Amino acid sequence: MVDVGDMVRAWVPDDFWQEAQPLIPVPPPWPQDGGKRRADDRAVLATIVYLVQSGCSWPKLPAVLFGVSRSP
């Protein structure tokens, strides 16, 4: 089984994440009525890097790799 954390760190190493993290907007406050939980920013960035590098399309992305999937 694939460890999601390992995949994320492989595609977004710590030095790359330190450069990219300040560019990501601060998330809005969590709504009181719950709402949908945000995906991890680093996992989303790893998914985007993977898609660009591999040429894979978003609908064909295996969600198990990064723990991020497209909206239903």
Side-chain angles (χ1 to χ4, degrees), residues 6 25 51 54 59 66-67:
D6 288 343
L51 291 173
S54 70
F66 300 99

Side-chain angles (χ1 to χ4, degrees), residues 42-61:
R42 188 171 180 172
V44 172
L45 180 59
T47 304
I48 293 167
V49 171
Y50 174 80
L51 291 173
V52 170
Q53 290 291 320
S54 70
C56 179
S57 65
W58 188 264
K60 294 180 181 179
L61 175 72

Side-chain angles (χ1 to χ4, degrees), residues 29-35:
W30 189 265
Q32 292 296 320
D33 61 349

